[in-house]
Amino acid sequence: MSQDSSPSFPQDAFRRYDETPDAEFYRQPRFVTHIDDAAIAAVTQLYREYFAANSTLLDLMSSWVSHLPAEVPYERVVGLGMNERELRANPRLADYVVQDLNQQPLLPFADNTFDGAAICVSVDYLTQPVTVLRELARVMLPNAPLVITFSNRCFPSKAIAAWHALDDRGHLALVQQYLQAANHWHAIELLDRSPAPRRSDPLFAVVGRVNKPALIQPE
């Protein structure tokens, strides 16, 4: 298993309780939501705020639902995830790719393809997050937003050791650290969008924007 190597992270930060191939774990589709309705609404509101209408979006670590606002049209939404049946059932996706980012963190997209990207309640499973975030910066346009959301739920056997060791604030700081280690990201925001009352699932977000030279438009 490949893992990100950086002096910023302890040697065992990206180990999991279950190191069997992720493809086996995700072989069966799970047509369920992993956060409750109020937390989903908070995710959708973030997408309203950060993703412009008629833009081209990448839903990374996607599934059968993308939580995008129903009333907003997008030019194209592409999903990348682990289970083809889930991706095929997602009505917002114009296209999809089945790929295990822990085995192959390089993205199969051209440079400067997307106006925005989302990782919803999945960042805690990445064993090579810095490499994935570098790749995201490559395939996104300059200053495009990346919205990473998470709660306090997970599949415990597949979440990395560092995630288990931290609380909610620690998770925010860890994802910020990923973006900083990947370079090419700026204007990083750490957000608590947990719905009230607190009986709902909490919802946290880290938002960053691609930091690379703007494209020169041909005359």
Side-chain angles (χ1 to χ4, degrees), residues 43-60 66-69 71-77 92 114-120 140 143-149 185 206-209:
V43 173
T44 301
Q45 180 57 33
L46 280 165
Y47 293 166
R48 284 192 187 95
E49 295 172 21
Y50 285 96
F51 297 149
N54 302 312
S55 56
T56 298
L57 303 179
L58 175 59
D59 183 6
L60 202 66
S66 291
H67 304 317
L68 292 163
E71 76 281 3
V72 180
Y74 299 100
E75 179 70 23
R76 182 176 174 82
V77 181
R92 298 307 295 265
F114 297 102
D115 302 299
I119 303 175
C120 183
M140 292 169 66
N143 212 44
L146 167 63
V147 179
I148 303 172
T149 52
W185 297 96
V206 178
V207 181
R209 291 185 178 271

Side-chain angles (χ1 to χ4, degrees), residues 36 38 194-202:
D36 65 21
S194 300
R198 290 289 182 166
R199 290 189 297 274
S200 173
D201 291 334

Side-chain angles (χ1 to χ4, degrees), residues 120-151:
C120 183
V121 296
S122 299
V123 69
D124 40 321
Y125 306 121
L126 287 174
T127 62
Q128 303 184 71
V130 174
T131 303
V132 169
L133 291 172
R134 286 195 190 112
E135 276 289 286
L136 271 174
R138 177 184 65 78
V139 305
M140 292 169 66
L141 287 160
N143 212 44
L146 167 63
V147 179
I148 303 172
T149 52
F150 49 89
S151 186

